[in-house]
Amino acid sequence: MSIRGLFPIDKWDFKSESILMNLPDEDFAILSANQSEQPYSKGEVIFREGGYPTGIFYIKEGKVKKYKLIDGGEQIIYVANSGELIGYHAVLSEERFPDSAAALEESVVGFIPKEDFFEVLQRSNILSRRLLKTLSHEFTVLANGMTLFAQRSVRERLALQLIVLREKYKTNFKPGEPVEINLSREDLASLVGTAKENIVRILSEFKEKEILKTKGRKIVIYDVKKLIEIANYK
Amino acid sequence: MSIRGLFPIDKWDFKSESILMNLPDEDFAILSANQSEQPYSKGEVIFREGGYPTGIFYIKEGKVKKYKLIDGGEQIIYVANSGELIGYHAVLSEERFPDSAAALEESVVGFIPKEDFFEVLQRSNILSRRLLKTLSHEFTVLANGMTLFAQRSVRERLALQLIVLREKYKTNFKPGEPVEINLSREDLASLVGTAKENIVRILSEFKEKEILKTKGRKIVIYDVKKLIEIANYK
DNA sequence: ACGAAAAACTGAAAAAAGTCATTTTTTAGA
DNA sequence: TCTAAAAAATGACTTTTTTCAGTTTTTCGT
């Protein structure tokens, strides 16, 4: 049995992967009609907090961070993987973007104008129903995240994030091969909600416990079970 | 200009108040048909984490806390006021309740079976559209909450919660009259994500600064502006 | 392959938060 | 109104986290 089976990672990881999959042909045609795609290089901003949304984004390749700017620094809220949809909250709530998005690696992102998105929402209730389900699930996951921040130590939070990130970076590696997480200490710190120095310190602790190794900025995970223990993951 | 006007409290406070308001008569009739209502005394549990949802709840009178159980203690996620809808996330995501709900004071709560709720969702897209908007907004607010936990000190978090709670308890008092927040130190601690001792200590700090007074368990707020400063509220 | 710039790492000290034991005050029921 | 139980408040102490100043290592463009 896989770790994935034993421990429902997605309790801590909302995914919007399936929203646009297998929609009726007509709906799909509308969404495709004016769709455009664009490559983003590492670090490039896709949309910015406070901007007016003109459509939704679909990650075709790569990984994207969603983050909020906060006194000079940033707080990463979520790492979205290829296949996922981003930017639709602001479109649906008819507000400005509450957060920014930037590529974590070379990525390709598709764009669908909000008019087309709304047209499909209007036409069929399949998309509505899926979105309601996804948004409700996301709410649940975020509430878990809040509890995590409020009740767990930095060490526990880091352990859990490493488990979640390992799942995201899994796709880049062959099964059985140890997974390498390719994220700067600064981004990792921002995701965990602490300073980069603490991440470095706790990572070397984990190295001593033979949970992982670091290769420059890459973190190679060897012992997920110990991480689960440390994360006190339930 | 009111504090409310100057500072958009609802950046930190999602409200589902208007979801069922002014729906088309037919939709409203369906929702009312099998609706039932029940009084809950202070502390009484309305639904429990892990249970299977059979419908959604509407707070007619009183206040309700939504919380997650976590190693013996609890983490309060949200204080819902009269007029608000709760329990619909689990119904929409077709999962079990991710959190529990209990009355914070004598309350009256209405119950609408999920079949009726789904029927209205199916019939008209007004409710769908509203829910999509509300859920997206809630997502944004929760993400703000996460950032708060991750980046702010206990003092700042408490100050902000007092501002938000003051708005909720406002309805119980005449305009101009100082607002009394009636919440145990333990619940307040759980909402802020710290131990009750810390709440007591920071509250007495605030008393010295003439921001508030305490009357037993009640907290009377006198100087919201200072709280806003401390909360570093942007 | 080289060198400058960026990122990662280290140590020490200060501040913040958490814990535990105990006293005082408040609440709620008889 | 009195009293027992619950909640709030206080003090001393421990642990965790933050901060700052610096060194070493890695990365990346040429």
Side-chain angles (χ1 to χ4, degrees):
Chain A
M1 199 182 209
S2 72
I3 294 289
R4 183 62 184 266
L6 280 167
F7 301 90
I9 285 299
D10 96 322
K11 187 171 171 187
W12 300 102
D13 187 19
F14 50 88
K15 290 199 176 65
S16 57
E17 277 170 317
S18 55
I19 294 182
L20 300 185
M21 302 265 283
N22 299 107
L23 278 178
D25 287 348
E26 288 173 13
D27 291 347
F28 190 76
I30 295 169
L31 294 174
S32 309
N34 304 299
Q35 184 255 49
S36 60
E37 64 187 66
Q38 199 182 322
Y40 288 88
S41 51
K42 189 171 167 179
E44 208 177 336
V45 174
I46 300 167
F47 55 78
R48 228 178 277 274
E49 202 171 335
Y52 287 94
T54 57
I56 62 172
F57 298 86
Y58 174 73
I59 306 170
K60 301 212 162 177
E61 275 171 49
K63 288 187 178 58
V64 170
K65 63 177 173 184
K66 283 183 72 183
Y67 59 98
K68 285 179 83 78
L69 297 170
I70 193 132
D71 351 278
E74 61 182 49
Q75 167 69 40
I76 297 182
I77 294 163
Y78 185 62
V79 173
N81 214 337
S82 59
E84 295 192 61
L85 215 53
I86 56 171
Y88 56 98
H89 297 97
V91 170
L92 287 171
S93 66
E94 298 167 36
E95 293 169 317
R96 292 191 279 168
F97 284 120
D99 46 34
S100 308
L104 277 172
E105 54 188 51
E106 304 299 304
S107 302
V108 179
V109 179
F111 173 81
I112 299 168
K114 69 169 195 275
E115 292 74 18
D116 296 345
F117 182 58
F118 277 125
E119 194 184 329
V120 174
L121 270 182
Q122 195 73 20
R123 279 174 49 85
S124 84
N125 57 17
I126 295 178
L127 184 59
S128 293
R129 189 68 200 82
R130 277 193 199 169
L131 278 168
L132 283 174
K133 192 168 174 176
T134 301
L135 283 165
S136 305
H137 177 69
E138 284 181 358
F139 184 89
T140 301
V141 173
L142 253 199
N144 283 337
M146 256 191 52
T147 306
L148 187 72
F149 273 115
Q151 304 278 356
R152 303 288 186 205
S153 68
V154 172
R155 183 168 293 92
E156 289 172 306
R157 272 154 32 210
L158 175 56
L160 185 56
Q161 282 300 349
L162 289 175
I163 298 168
V164 173
L165 285 169
R166 183 174 168 276
E167 291 296 316
K168 305 216 189 222
Y169 281 86
K170 224 172 188 172
T171 49
N172 302 2
F173 299 90
K174 297 199 186 75
E177 232 177 292
V179 178
E180 292 182 7
I181 295 169
N182 191 355
L183 204 62
S184 73
R185 300 293 177 271
E186 188 139 24
D187 277 347
L188 195 47
S190 158
L191 195 57
V192 171
T194 186
K196 49 189 182 306
E197 292 94 327
N198 294 318
I199 296 294
V200 169
R201 267 183 264 273
I202 300 170
L203 282 180
S204 50
E205 219 182 85
F206 289 176
K207 263 190 276 188
E208 275 172 25
K209 290 181 182 161
E210 304 190 328
I211 293 169
L212 49 83
K213 287 182 185 169
T214 59
K215 285 193 206 172
R217 68 179 245 146
K218 284 178 188 144
I219 298 164
V220 194
I221 308 286
Y222 290 101
D223 194 338
V224 188
K225 282 189 186 166
K226 279 190 196 155
L227 282 179
I228 290 166
E229 260 174 58
I230 291 166
N232 198 7
Y233 186 19
K234 283 159 211 155
Chain B
M1 197 182 210
S2 72
I3 295 290
R4 183 64 185 264
L6 279 167
F7 301 90
I9 285 300
D10 96 320
K11 188 172 172 188
W12 300 103
D13 187 19
F14 48 88
K15 290 198 176 66
S16 58
E17 277 169 317
S18 56
I19 293 182
L20 300 185
M21 302 266 283
N22 300 107
L23 277 179
D25 288 347
E26 288 173 13
D27 291 348
F28 191 76
I30 295 169
L31 294 174
S32 309
N34 305 299
Q35 184 255 51
S36 60
E37 63 189 65
Q38 200 182 320
Y40 288 88
S41 52
K42 189 172 167 180
E44 208 176 336
V45 174
I46 300 167
F47 56 77
R48 227 178 277 275
E49 200 171 337
Y52 287 94
T54 56
I56 62 172
F57 298 86
Y58 174 73
I59 306 170
K60 302 212 163 178
E61 274 171 51
K63 289 187 177 58
V64 170
K65 62 177 173 184
K66 284 184 71 183
Y67 60 98
K68 285 180 83 80
L69 297 171
I70 193 131
D71 347 280
E74 61 182 47
Q75 167 68 39
I76 298 183
I77 294 162
Y78 186 61
V79 174
N81 214 336
S82 59
E84 295 192 60
L85 216 54
I86 56 172
Y88 56 98
H89 297 97
V91 170
L92 286 171
S93 66
E94 298 167 35
E95 294 169 317
R96 291 191 280 168
F97 284 120
D99 46 33
S100 309
L104 277 172
E105 55 189 49
E106 304 300 302
S107 302
V108 180
V109 179
F111 173 81
I112 298 169
K114 69 169 195 274
E115 291 74 17
D116 296 345
F117 183 58
F118 277 125
E119 195 184 329
V120 174
L121 271 181
Q122 195 73 21
R123 280 173 48 85
S124 83
N125 56 18
I126 296 179
L127 184 58
S128 292
R129 190 68 200 82
R130 276 193 201 170
L131 278 167
L132 284 174
K133 192 169 175 176
T134 301
L135 283 165
S136 306
H137 178 69
E138 284 182 359
F139 184 89
T140 301
V141 174
L142 252 199
N144 283 337
M146 257 191 51
T147 306
L148 187 73
F149 273 114
Q151 305 277 356
R152 303 289 186 203
S153 68
V154 172
R155 182 169 294 90
E156 289 172 305
R157 280 168 7 225
L158 175 56
L160 184 56
Q161 283 299 348
L162 290 175
I163 298 168
V164 173
L165 285 168
R166 183 174 168 276
E167 291 296 317
K168 304 214 190 225
Y169 281 86
K170 225 173 189 171
T171 49
N172 302 1
F173 299 90
K174 297 199 186 77
E177 231 178 293
V179 178
E180 291 182 5
I181 295 169
N182 191 355
L183 202 62
S184 73
R185 301 292 177 272
E186 189 139 22
D187 277 347
L188 195 47
S190 158
L191 194 58
V192 170
T194 186
K196 49 189 183 306
E197 291 94 328
N198 294 319
I199 296 294
V200 169
R201 268 184 262 274
I202 299 170
L203 281 180
S204 51
E205 217 182 88
F206 288 175
K207 264 190 276 188
E208 275 173 25
K209 291 182 182 162
E210 304 190 328
I211 293 169
L212 49 83
K213 286 181 186 168
T214 59
K215 284 194 208 173
R217 68 179 247 148
K218 284 177 186 146
I219 299 164
V220 193
I221 308 286
Y222 290 100
D223 194 338
V224 188
K225 282 189 186 166
K226 279 190 197 154
L227 281 179
I228 289 167
E229 260 175 60
I230 291 166
N232 199 5
Y233 186 19
K234 284 159 209 155

